[in-house]
Amino acid sequence: MSDIISRRDFLFYGGATIAGVTLGELGRRQLARADERAAAWRPRGVETWATSVCRECAAGCGVRARLADDVPVKLEGNPLCPIGRGRLCAKGQAALESYFDPDRLVGPARQAGSRSAPRWERVSWDAGCRLLASQLGGHGADVIAFAFDEHGPLADAWSHFWSSLGARLVWTHGATAERLTPAVAALTGAKACPLFDLERATHVLSFGAPLVEDWLSPVWTQRSFGRFRRTAGRPRGRLVQVDARQSLTARKADESLILSAEQQIVLAYAIASVLLRENRVNRTAIDAIGGDLAAFENAIVARYSPDDSAAATGVPVVTILRMARELTATPQPLVTVATDAPRPLVDATLALNALIGAIDHPGGLFGKIVNGAERSADAATVLGDIAAGRIRPRVVAFHDAAALRSVHAPPDPSTYLASVPFIVSFSPYLDESCAVADLVLPLDTPLESWHAVVPAPAIGGETIALARPAVARRLESRDLGSILRAVARAVGGDALTAFPWSSSEGIVREEVARLQRLRRGGLYSEAYEMDWLEQLERGGWWVGDATSDRDFITSALEKGGWIDPYFEPGLLSQSAREQGGLNFPVPPAIHGIPLAAARDEERAVGTTGQADAPPANEGFPLRLTVFTPAVVSLAGNQNVPGLFELLGQPEGLPWRPWVEVGHETAARFRIANGETVQIESPSGRIHAVAVLVEGLPEGTVSMAFVPASSAEARWTRTIDADVRRLCGADGFSTPCHVRIARL
């Protein structure tokens, strides 16, 4: 395909496109005709299949690409992948469109004008890499490298390169179990990611966890949820969802309660109080682990009486009592929580799991050690520091646009990054990082890439997804390894020593060779074969997958990955015993946040036990809840029209913002369903379509977060309403208060 398109052709295509650096409509038509000519000699379309890895989030699901005459036409899940087992989510299915994106970057380019008046010039790869090297030389301490938080050899190679220069590595954390690791460590002493055994649970009490939307590893969660709901030989699992809005999970739950985050903390501890008051805790399991349960019990019982908790949440006492009793009346209860929940709520839910005996119990909570360096530097925090002038980097590198799409990142990066002298983007797409860059060095898209990715923690054992490129490189992009090697060669010194690989292929093949030397685990296979492998390993046996190194590498890349399914539960209990028992959290007192409308006086639960929170801004009586739709891409390409129709927005209009309003609030402000309204805060305003929903408490409204883009990609540029404009300098770390008015 691409080998018959000359560099001169690409320059011609670029001359008629956006900023001269993207494929554009003309280039896409020309390239499509070239594809047609390349396959014209065949009497009929020849179907083949190739293995790849989905990179739209950190889950690392296996992909099978259907090719017609070597052109990808459909993506399906890899049935051998232990995470997806042949399934993909909507973002994974739509990833094919990124390969055909008409606004993909044609090749490397530099900014010849200014960021405010851009004028792009195409450059050769050698010139682009030398330009980046000249900016990096001697400025390591003033360099910040942003990337989406993934694990594996390719991510490690990215870290090695920038660390050798003395640069600061910053990560955009996904909605994975790793976010909950600090809370797990505080309770049990184990620096481990929690594994929620949703599949075998019989009763789930969920605090904001989007189980049927985008929680942890989305496809794995949805498969597990299906088994939780319908498994032969046992009753249907019961789900109680406590959420800040009428989410899809709340709609599918057997029972749902709509409460603010602060009220959810009260409810969680109120349920714990009932369990302790009525002696419904699993004291046998707790005594086996150890810990000062008596002190925790005294604090809980004293601070969270059913009456006070009911007043703070608006949940009747009888409901609180019933929820607590139902939780312990089932053999395998489980409490789940959203990964972005406030730390006090996470602490409360983990403590509940300890009280009901769910730790290291089937259908409960397990722990898994994730190998790799700790990545505490958060992208949104660092971008906030840049915006406030607290740090002044000389060079900023964006592996992708994930950092600029975080709900906690400041909006409009073109303003707060204007003071950075040099910015480089490695994204293959015309996205937010490209829009603020001085140099673009586009990577291959996932279908064109080599893969060695450690999936986000979801299942026991050790897993790594592996694949070679499923399709030929379409444009003048390159793989990460070859780009960093070229820059390292130009910089020289420690950078060249720290990056010995010539390409991503070398990194992946080196990893596969390492896996073969481990003499454990095996390649992706059918479920029954994987179960048999685990039984063999438990008995001390292991049989290799191939007779030669070459056969092993070939099979690994064709099957899509390697897994050691052996998993020994008990990590959390053992670690807790070693530290002297469970370290229960100190529950905050009920104060500082307004109560439900059922009570006149204003009381609430604080998140740290400190001074009362300030009242809502006068004139802005409504509290705003923000959520991110499951089909919004925070890590991959956002310029995908196939996802536009799945947002759930009113009237079927792509990316049109909407605000969810309860019927009481709508009546109070005389707002009709489908009416265009204005949402205003002290920091900004947004026009949106009002959607009336059941169950949303009076005094609250809810809006979707769809990050606005300053890029010129044809679909993303239609996004003109970003809820981050309403949050102010503090972001959503503090409650955001707004008012609503008819237009």
Side-chain angles (χ1 to χ4, degrees):
M1 291 189 302
S2 58
D3 58 347
I4 63 173
I5 302 295
S6 68
R7 177 176 175 81
R8 180 178 179 181
D9 291 330
F10 280 125
L11 290 174
F12 171 72
Y13 303 155
T17 61
I18 302 171
V21 294
T22 68
L23 184 59
E25 291 291 357
L26 175 61
R28 183 180 178 185
R29 290 196 299 269
Q30 295 283 353
L31 204 55
R33 284 196 287 271
D35 293 335
E36 183 180 358
R37 291 194 301 272
W41 63 272
R42 292 173 176 164
R44 65 179 185 275
V46 177
E47 179 188 67
T48 55
W49 291 83
T51 305
S52 188
V53 181
C54 180
R55 304 300 296 275
E56 296 304 305
C57 73
C61 295
V63 169
R64 294 281 287 168
R66 177 174 175 263
L67 311 177
D69 291 342
D70 297 329
V71 178
V73 295
K74 187 70 170 67
L75 298 184
E76 298 289 354
N78 181 359
L80 302 182
C81 173
I83 301 167
R85 284 295 178 204
R87 301 291 184 265
L88 287 177
C89 69
K91 285 188 286 190
Q93 292 280 359
L96 177 64
E97 296 183 27
S98 294
Y99 177 74
F100 293 105
D101 184 353
D103 296 321
R104 272 185 60 185
L105 298 171
V106 172
R110 71 177 184 90
Q111 182 62 262
S114 64
R115 295 176 197 164
S116 58
R119 183 169 59 85
W120 290 94
E121 287 183 356
R122 289 290 309 281
V123 296
S124 67
W125 272 105
D126 288 342
C129 292
R130 287 196 303 270
L131 175 58
L132 176 57
S134 68
Q135 296 293 327
L136 296 176
H139 298 290
D142 299 322
V143 177
I144 299 178
F146 291 89
F148 185 69
D149 189 8
E150 290 185 328
H151 294 276
L154 294 172
D156 292 341
W158 170 270
S159 299
H160 287 320
F161 173 80
W162 294 105
S163 296
S164 69
L165 296 172
R168 181 179 180 182
L169 290 160
V170 180
W171 309 97
T172 305
H173 301 297
T176 67
E178 287 188 84
R179 284 193 180 185
L180 306 177
T181 298
V184 173
L187 178 67
T188 67
K191 291 185 178 180
C193 291
L195 299 180
F196 295 87
D197 193 5
L198 176 64
E199 181 175 329
R200 292 189 287 176
T202 54
H203 181 103
V204 172
L205 173 59
S206 170
F207 287 89
L211 300 180
V212 298
E213 293 149 283
D214 201 22
W215 189 56
L216 304 182
S217 179
V219 178
W220 170 85
T221 301
Q222 291 161 18
R223 289 177 56 242
S224 298
F225 183 78
R227 290 182 172 88
F228 161 73
R229 283 303 213 181
R230 184 177 298 176
T231 296
R234 73 174 192 185
R236 179 177 184 269
R238 177 174 171 82
L239 171 63
V240 178
Q241 180 76 4
V242 184
D243 217 325
R245 57 179 289 270
Q246 276 288 13
S247 64
L248 183 59
T249 304
R251 294 188 182 101
K252 288 185 175 293
D254 298 285
E255 180 181 359
S256 64
L257 299 173
I258 309 302
L259 302 175
S260 68
E262 295 81 11
Q263 291 172 329
Q264 291 181 40
I265 299 170
V266 175
L267 179 62
Y269 279 120
I271 292 173
S273 175
V274 173
L275 296 178
L276 291 164
R277 288 168 183 268
E278 298 185 354
N279 196 27
R280 294 179 179 272
V281 301
N282 192 328
R283 294 187 183 274
T284 302
I286 296 176
D287 291 342
I289 299 175
D292 192 357
L293 178 61
F296 180 69
E297 181 175 1
N298 292 335
I300 287 289
V301 171
R303 298 181 182 184
Y304 290 89
S305 70
D307 289 338
D308 285 346
S309 300
T313 61
V315 180
V317 172
V318 65
T319 301
I320 296 176
L321 296 175
R322 176 177 55 78
M323 291 176 68
R325 293 165 183 170
E326 288 179 347
L327 190 61
T328 55
T330 183
Q332 292 172 188
L334 174 65
V335 183
T336 63
V337 66
T339 58
D340 59 351
R343 175 62 184 273
L345 180 55
V346 177
D347 289 338
T349 57
L350 294 180
L352 270 177
N353 278 304
L355 293 179
I356 62 179
I359 291 181
D360 288 331
H361 186 272
L365 182 68
F366 299 93
K368 176 181 179 180
I369 298 295
V370 176
N371 297 323
E374 185 175 348
R375 297 174 172 179
S376 56
D378 179 68
T381 302
V382 174
L383 289 176
D385 290 338
I386 294 176
R390 290 186 287 269
I391 56 177
R392 300 180 181 277
R394 188 183 181 282
V395 177
V396 166
F398 288 105
H399 182 281
D400 45 58
L404 304 177
R405 293 179 189 164
S406 169
V407 69
H408 300 291
D412 195 4
S414 62
T415 57
Y416 61 82
L417 292 177
S419 60
V420 180
F422 188 82
I423 299 175
V424 58
S425 168
F426 293 87
S427 174
Y429 314 113
L430 190 63
D431 58 21
E432 298 92 327
S433 65
C434 175
V436 298
D438 301 288
L439 174 67
V440 291
L441 301 174
L443 297 173
D444 295 330
T445 62
L447 286 178
E448 302 165 321
S449 299
W450 289 83
H451 299 282
V453 183
V454 176
I459 60 177
E462 183 180 350
T463 309
I464 183 165
L466 304 162
R468 60 165 59 92
V471 295
R473 180 176 290 137
R474 191 172 181 81
L475 303 175
E476 286 192 44
S477 56
R478 284 193 179 180
D479 66 273
L480 177 67
S482 63
I483 297 175
L484 296 184
R485 176 66 176 181
V487 177
R489 189 183 298 111
V491 173
D494 294 339
L496 185 59
T497 303
F499 203 89
W501 307 280
S502 60
S503 66
S504 296
E505 178 180 358
I507 299 172
V508 174
R509 290 186 178 276
E510 180 181 292
E511 175 64 10
V512 178
R514 182 191 71 84
L515 294 173
Q516 186 179 23
R517 293 193 299 269
L518 292 178
R519 297 188 63 78
R520 60 181 174 88
L523 303 181
Y524 280 3
S525 59
E526 299 289 347
Y528 73 91
E529 294 177 334
M530 200 168 294
D531 290 341
W532 176 238
L533 174 61
E534 182 178 5
Q535 294 301 320
L536 286 176
E537 291 192 339
R538 288 188 180 278
W541 295 84
W542 177 81
V543 180
D545 285 284
T547 57
S548 67
D549 295 350
R550 182 175 181 178
D551 288 344
F552 183 85
I553 293 176
T554 301
S555 296
L557 297 175
E558 288 178 352
K559 292 185 176 181
W562 174 93
I563 180 172
D564 183 357
Y566 181 83
F567 176 73
E568 188 67 34
L571 171 64
L572 300 182
S573 301
Q574 179 182 349
S575 179
R577 285 192 291 268
E578 291 174 353
Q579 75 167 1
L582 295 169
N583 183 21
F584 287 99
V586 177
I590 298 179
H591 70 284
I593 302 295
L595 294 177
R599 186 160 175 171
D600 293 331
E601 63 267 29
E602 289 191 348
R603 299 172 66 192
V605 59
T607 58
T608 61
Q610 299 176 357
D612 290 354
N617 294 311
E618 187 173 352
F620 299 92
L622 304 176
R623 176 163 177 167
L624 176 65
T625 297
V626 175
F627 66 95
T628 304
V631 296
V632 171
S633 178
L634 299 180
N637 184 17
Q638 193 178 359
N639 192 44
V640 178
L643 296 177
F644 284 20
E645 302 301 322
L646 301 179
L647 264 177
Q649 68 276 27
E651 302 177 15
L653 298 177
W655 300 111
R656 185 173 182 184
W658 75 96
V659 56
E660 298 176 358
V661 185
H663 288 279
E664 293 181 357
T665 302
R668 175 182 170 189
F669 293 96
R670 300 179 180 178
I671 294 172
N673 187 57
E675 187 175 12
T676 301
V677 297
Q678 177 175 280
I679 308 298
E680 184 178 6
S681 76
S683 303
R685 64 185 63 178
I686 288 177
H687 291 171
V689 176
V691 177
L692 273 56
V693 297
E694 297 286 346
L696 196 63
E698 201 279 331
T700 64
V701 294
S702 182
M703 289 194 72
F705 167 58
V706 182
S709 175
S710 55
E712 286 297 314
R714 65 199 60 208
W715 290 292
T716 57
R717 66 187 175 193
T718 64
I719 306 170
D720 59 357
D722 192 324
V723 295
R724 290 179 294 185
R725 300 175 190 170
L726 303 175
C727 66
D730 294 333
F732 291 104
S733 58
T734 57
C736 180
H737 295 277
V738 299
R739 61 190 176 200
I740 187 170
R742 302 167 61 191
L743 291 180

